């Protein structure tokens, strides 16, 4: 069962060589991790483990509830847990950044004083060997070995190609993680980035024993009651101007529904159900009174360019700003429905 996947998914030889020749890996992904981030990291760590290598998976934030079904998810550690277990960043020879391409995105720009973060910042400043595997359009040259492929739908596709090139046996756990990575970033195969290559890889993964319906139910039909009430609240804030839809979520709405930022995943896209909406925005109030804006678009409209104006970035049809605006500006007041 080893069909040849397309030429776009050929990992750089130096990337495969680095993964095969190094032994102690820190694998880190972006803050507020999504299914692509988590699934890609888990698959990569299983592959490296099967070759006898040591991996620790790091993330700034805990795994969101909808991804707790992923095989091996309990291997993720927050930076605090990493410290508590007595490990040292200096014991690792390689950092692999997955589904992101800058240290800020893995949480190193935080103002909190966390020893593992300080250690990692020092290690990177001292030249710690770093491999980047990512598909975001917004990038800035960080890393010793970089495979950044914005035309690829999900980082999971890149990780899968790298794993195959390393000669690792694809287990059902690897297949489930990669499949979930792909369905997350393609919106279950409906976004513009869903090309033939995506279906070819998905078909292979189904052959390895992944259930598409089970994955869909776990990843998309698993809202808690609180998350669903939050969703109803966000829909209630909807404001439309022409082909642009804006919704908002405030810290008060999170408190009232006992939910958190990761519960808003995919909320930004719901106004796209309306025929004429081309751009959707979700403005999320942060605890410090600033706001982050998630952007989605259809077709040729490039919202990554918009997010870059606000120091953020992402993909053509899906991007996010850095924190903008202060409380008392219009952005976070509750709008009436329309
Ligand atoms: Mn991704």
């Amino acid at each position: 069962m080893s069909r040849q996947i397309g030429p776009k998914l050929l990992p750089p030889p130096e990337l495969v060589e680095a993964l095969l020749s190094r032994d102690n890996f820190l694998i880190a992904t972006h803050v507020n991790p999504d299914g692509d981030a988590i699934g890609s990291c888990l698959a990569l760590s299983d592959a490296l483990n099967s070759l006898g290598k040591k991996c620790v998976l790091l993330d700034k934030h805990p795994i969101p509830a909808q991804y707790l079904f992923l095989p091996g998810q309990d291997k993720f550690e927050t930076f605090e847990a990493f410290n508590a277990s007595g490990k040292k960043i200096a014991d690792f020879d390689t950092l692999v950044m997955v589904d992101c391409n800058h240290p800020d995105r893995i949480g190193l720009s935080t103002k909190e004083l966390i020893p593992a973060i300080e250690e990692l910042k020092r290690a990177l400043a001292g030249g710690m060997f770093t491999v980047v595997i990512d598909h975001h359009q917004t990038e800035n040259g960080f890393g010793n070995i970089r495979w950044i492929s914005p035309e690829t739908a999900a980082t999971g596709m890149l990780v899968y190609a790298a794993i195959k090139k390393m000669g690792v046996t694809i287990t059902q756990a690897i297949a489930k993680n990669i499949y979930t990575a792909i369905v997350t970033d393609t919106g279950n195969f409906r976004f513009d980035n869903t090309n033939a290559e995506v279906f070819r890889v998905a078909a292979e993964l189904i052959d390895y024993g992944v259930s598409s319906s089970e994955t869909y139910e776990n990843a998309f039909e698993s809202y808690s009651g609180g998350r669903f009430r939050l969703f109803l609240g966000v829909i209630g804030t909807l404001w439309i101007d022409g082909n642009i839809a804006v919704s908002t979520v405030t810290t008060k709405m999170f408190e009232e529904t006992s939910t958190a930022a990761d519960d808003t995943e995919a909320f930004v896209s719901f106004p796209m159900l309306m025929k004429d909406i081309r751009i959707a925005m979700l403005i999320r109030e942060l605890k410090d009174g600033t706001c982050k804006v998630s952007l989605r678009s259809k077709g040729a409209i490039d919202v990554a360019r918009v997010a870059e104006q606000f120091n953020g970035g992402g993909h053509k049809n899906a991007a996010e700003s850095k924190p903008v605006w202060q409380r008392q500006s219009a952005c976070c007041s509750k709008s009436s429905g329309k």
Side-chain angles (χ1 to χ4, degrees):
M1 209 188 293
S2 187
R3 280 180 291 268
Q4 193 58 45
I5 46 180
K8 273 190 191 159
L9 285 178
L10 277 181
E14 63 274 22
L15 173 92
V16 178
E17 149 69 21
L19 295 175
L20 288 174
S21 64
R22 293 175 166 268
D23 292 313
N24 294 299
F25 294 88
L26 279 177
I27 301 177
T29 190
H30 57 76
V31 295
N32 302 312
D34 56 19
D36 186 27
I38 299 162
S40 297
C41 287
L42 291 173
L44 180 62
S45 90
D46 273 8
L48 292 168
N49 285 157
S50 78
L51 297 169
K53 296 163 189 302
K54 197 170 113 189
C55 299
V56 166
L57 296 163
L58 278 175
D59 196 64
K60 178 77 175 66
H61 298 122
I63 304 296
Q66 66 267 37
Y67 298 118
L68 293 177
F69 75 99
L70 286 174
Q73 57 75 25
D74 55 335
K75 288 191 276 187
F76 266 99
E77 295 175 30
T78 59
F79 288 98
E80 288 91 338
F82 180 90
N83 281 132
S85 67
K87 289 189 281 293
K88 291 270 169 275
I89 297 287
D91 296 336
F92 296 84
D93 56 34
T94 309
L95 170 68
V96 188
M97 294 202 301
V98 176
D99 200 36
C100 59
N101 60 61
H102 191 276
D104 284 358
R105 285 290 292 150
I106 65 176
L108 301 197
S109 60
T110 179
K111 289 180 194 108
E112 299 161 73
L113 259 184
I114 300 168
I117 288 187
E118 298 309 309
E119 278 175 49
L120 187 52
K121 280 201 273 199
R122 275 197 301 276
L124 290 173
M128 182 177 191
F129 190 82
T130 304
V131 174
V132 175
I133 307 176
D134 188 24
H135 69 136
H136 289 87
Q137 186 177 313
T138 309
E139 57 110 357
N140 40 43
F142 187 85
N144 300 84
I145 292 179
R146 300 146 38 71
W147 188 18
I148 300 177
S149 173
E151 67 275 13
T152 302
T155 295
M157 300 272 292
L158 304 175
V159 168
Y160 185 61
I163 290 175
K164 285 186 70 158
K165 206 72 188 165
M166 286 155 66
V168 166
T169 305
I170 306 297
T171 60
Q172 201 183 72
I174 289 178
K176 277 187 181 176
N177 278 308
I178 297 287
Y179 186 88
T180 303
I182 293 171
V183 298
T184 304
D185 272 21
T186 60
N188 210 42
F189 307 109
R190 71 188 201 280
F191 299 155
D192 203 27
N193 57 9
T194 312
N195 56 19
E197 198 74 35
V198 166
F199 285 111
R200 274 190 282 271
V201 170
E204 276 193 27
L205 298 169
I206 297 286
D207 278 344
Y208 284 115
V210 177
S211 160
S212 60
S213 59
E214 224 177 86
T215 310
Y216 184 82
E217 190 179 330
N218 279 316
F220 299 104
E221 295 180 332
S222 54
Y223 282 26
S224 65
R227 188 178 179 200
F228 199 77
R229 284 198 307 280
L230 181 71
F231 170 59
L232 294 175
V234 170
I235 290 295
T237 69
L238 189 64
W239 175 86
I240 293 168
D241 186 5
N243 53 14
I244 301 174
V246 182
S247 40
T248 49
V249 56
T250 61
T251 52
K252 187 159 174 269
M253 290 160 76
F254 287 126
E255 280 158 26
E256 285 168 357
T257 53
S258 305
T259 53
D262 60 46
D263 288 303
T264 62
E265 190 183 308
F267 285 8
V268 58
S269 307
F270 282 96
M272 292 293 199
L273 291 170
M274 275 176 287
K275 191 175 178 354
D276 295 325
I277 298 298
R278 309 299 296 170
I279 298 175
M281 295 165 58
L282 174 68
I283 302 173
R284 170 164 62 85
E285 185 189 22
L286 307 179
K287 288 197 180 93
D288 66 1
T290 59
C291 297
K292 263 191 177 182
V293 184
S294 293
L295 296 140
R296 296 291 182 276
S297 64
K298 284 179 182 162
I301 302 166
D302 187 350
V303 287
R305 301 265 306 277
V306 179
E308 281 165 17
Q309 300 297 311
F310 298 94
N311 300 314
H315 309 279
K316 186 181 80 178
N317 296 133
E320 190 175 64
S321 76
K322 278 271 169 64
V324 289
W325 300 310
Q326 288 294 327
R327 204 187 292 274
Q328 276 145 19
S329 67
C331 82
C332 293
S333 65
K334 194 167 166 155
S335 333
S336 57
K338 186 180 172 180

